[in-house]
Amino acid sequence: RDLIFSGIQPTGKLHLGNYLGAIQNWVKLQEKYHEKSDIYFCIVDQHALTDKFKIDHQIFFEDTTKDNTIIMAAALLASGIDPKKSNIFVQSAVPYHAELQWMLGCIAPQNWLNTMTQYKDKKSKNSSLGLYSYPVLMAADILLYNATHVPVGSDQKQHLELTRDYATRFNMLFKNDKTQGIQMPQYIESEFPRVMSLKDGTKKMSKSDPSDFSRINLTDTPELVYDKIKKAKTDSIPIVKLDPNRPEVSNLLRIYSSLSGQSIKEIETTFSSSSMKDFKDKLSELIIAKVCPIGLRIEDLLQNQDYIYESLKQGNERAYDRAKENIQRIKKEMGMYVM
Ligand code: TYM
């Protein structure tokens, strides 16, 4: 039986990049595959710690990881992840992720991590061990469940390749006719692998961009969405057309396409004689119709959190049981002591 696994950091600030790049895709995969696959979506609160603690500033940001975890769970539920079809769970509720991370960290050269571009972008002279070993924990997340398919945006592709390298290494060392070894996971590219910033079409839309006008948050009001799209960067060419030399307009077109389900060609035809302003107005309407209701549902779910806690409890228990079974087998195959 296939197992679809993906993860998302509880950042507290969910934006269109997370939604179109990941969550919308997860919902589609859930609807298509839940009968023949097990599905796990992990809220990676331990990964989020690497972003919260900026040793340079000697502070922990004020919002708590717990609150952000609950907000993320609400966002997943509000977006259509259904606990009857998928398991939503919290990384730190299953201690075996961190345990497997240790073992993977011991079976391959440390210098594998030095080539990780995300690390190279984020590191500073005071950055933490956690930031460095982040990709090993991600590999552990995936391999702990014997995942067969991992849907992620293109920014995570390198981490998935590393995960596959760890699986290969494990199997080279420990797989034989008596052992099962580790399942090799496949990358599933999301339909919209890279949603770009509204202010700069060469940068990805990100929660860490200092300008709130670079992104649409799921909880933005309709007025704010309208304002952000109105102020979104475009260029002096009035035509709505996909063009690699026009990254901002292309990004808006892709957002339109992803939310409406229409092809780029159809949209180009629809707007062939419209102004950029008309296109932007229609795009705002579309975002307001598709995304703002999710923001309202998130707020609704957060009013009375019972449903969120129940869903997580069920997901945590299922993930825990599966992970426990697998870690015991992995430890045995590695020749370790198992209670
Ligand atoms: P995270 O939390 O940064 O992002 C979650 C998912 O959203 C995608 N994404 C985007 N896609 C398109 N355009 C964007 N602007 C954009 N921003 C984010 C990401 O590619 C990702 O799929 N390390 C992972 C979380 C993780 C994980 C895992 C994923 C931890 N363990 C195991 C899969 C399997 C991360 O930080 O994603």
Side-chain angles (χ1 to χ4, degrees):
R1 200 172 155 85
D2 284 349
L3 190 143
I4 300 173
F5 187 99
S6 198
I8 191 162
Q9 292 194 50
T11 54
K13 219 179 200 157
L14 258 97
H15 54 75
L16 211 52
N18 301 127
Y19 181 68
L20 295 180
I23 303 172
Q24 180 180 260
N25 204 37
W26 294 2
V27 174
K28 286 188 190 163
L29 290 169
Q30 164 186 280
E31 294 313 319
K32 205 160 160 203
Y33 294 113
H34 74 95
E35 273 160 5
K36 46 179 189 258
S37 313
D38 296 323
I39 308 179
Y40 287 84
F41 296 125
C42 182
I43 302 176
V44 294
D45 57 342
Q46 290 167 319
H47 277 119
L49 291 178
T50 64
D51 250 359
K52 273 174 78 73
F53 184 49
K54 306 280 184 202
I55 293 178
D56 293 345
H57 307 130
Q58 304 275 321
I59 53 157
F60 245 79
F61 293 125
E62 275 163 12
D63 53 348
T64 68
T65 310
K66 180 188 166 203
D67 290 344
N68 287 347
T69 298
I70 298 303
I71 294 171
M72 179 55 76
L76 296 178
L77 295 167
S79 303
I81 301 293
D82 177 351
K84 292 197 194 74
K85 300 175 181 165
S86 308
N87 300 295
I88 307 177
F89 75 104
V90 182
Q91 188 181 36
S92 67
V94 182
Y96 306 118
H97 296 236
E99 186 177 357
L100 182 58
Q101 171 201 224
W102 179 262
M103 293 186 281
L104 294 177
C106 293
I107 65 167
Q110 173 184 325
N111 68 23
W112 282 10
L113 299 175
N114 296 334
T115 60
M116 295 293 111
T117 50
Q118 186 174 298
Y119 172 68
K120 287 198 269 186
D121 290 346
K122 288 192 175 177
K123 75 168 176 187
S124 70
K125 85 176 194 314
N126 287 324
S127 55
S128 66
L129 173 61
L131 186 73
Y132 188 54
S133 58
Y134 180 113
V136 193
L137 182 58
M138 179 160 161
D141 296 338
I142 296 167
L143 301 179
L144 182 56
Y145 294 86
N146 274 332
T148 56
H149 296 86
V150 183
V152 281
S154 58
D155 60 329
Q156 297 299 319
K157 194 173 178 192
Q158 194 190 28
H159 288 158
L160 193 64
E161 276 157 12
L162 181 83
T163 303
R164 291 168 56 87
D165 289 343
Y166 276 110
T168 305
R169 176 57 64 112
F170 184 93
N171 290 337
M172 193 183 87
L173 293 168
F174 305 113
K175 191 173 173 183
N176 56 47
D177 2 323
K178 293 194 201 76
T179 63
Q180 186 184 322
I182 281 184
Q183 173 70 40
M184 184 62 69
Q186 307 291 324
Y187 169 65
I188 311 190
E189 180 163 79
S190 68
E191 286 170 23
F192 199 164
R194 209 166 154 82
V195 183
M196 307 314 270
S197 154
L198 300 178
K199 289 281 159 200
D200 177 351
T202 64
K203 284 203 324 214
K204 74 168 181 180
M205 186 178 285
S206 151
K207 53 142 204 312
S208 50
D209 193 310
S211 165
D212 196 52
F213 273 69
S214 69
R215 62 184 159 259
I216 302 284
N217 303 304
L218 297 192
T219 47
D220 284 348
T221 60
E223 295 72 32
L224 191 55
V225 168
Y226 189 81
D227 204 24
K228 284 180 174 178
I229 295 297
K230 191 171 133 206
K231 292 184 180 139
K233 186 176 167 197
T234 46
D235 49 40
S236 53
I237 309 168
I239 305 154
V240 180
K241 199 164 176 24
L242 196 74
D243 178 343
N245 297 316
R246 302 175 65 203
E248 285 84 12
V249 173
S250 299
N251 188 44
L252 295 181
L253 245 174
R254 288 202 184 92
I255 293 175
Y256 196 107
S257 167
S258 183
L259 283 173
S260 66
Q262 292 171 15
S263 72
I264 299 279
K265 277 270 159 301
E266 278 174 79
I267 302 162
E268 285 174 345
T269 313
T270 310
F271 291 100
S272 58
S273 52
S274 316
S275 65
M276 197 55 76
K277 180 179 179 304
D278 288 344
F279 170 66
K280 281 183 158 186
D281 285 349
K282 287 281 182 277
L283 176 59
S284 297
E285 281 172 26
L286 183 61
I287 297 174
I288 291 164
K290 296 273 177 171
V291 177
C292 292
I294 300 175
L296 294 177
R297 276 202 294 280
I298 295 177
E299 273 154 26
D300 243 22
L301 284 165
L302 289 170
Q303 291 301 314
N304 169 354
Q305 306 189 349
D306 293 355
Y307 182 60
I308 304 175
Y309 276 94
E310 259 169 50
S311 309
L312 287 179
K313 182 166 181 287
Q314 175 192 303
N316 288 340
E317 285 169 0
R318 293 207 183 129
Y320 185 95
D321 290 346
R322 182 178 289 255
K324 183 169 183 188
E325 201 180 307
N326 280 336
I327 194 98
Q328 287 187 334
R329 183 181 54 77
I330 289 169
K331 284 169 80 172
K332 267 193 210 132
E333 294 187 3
M334 288 181 83
M336 292 178 74
Y337 170 79
V338 177
M339 276 205 295

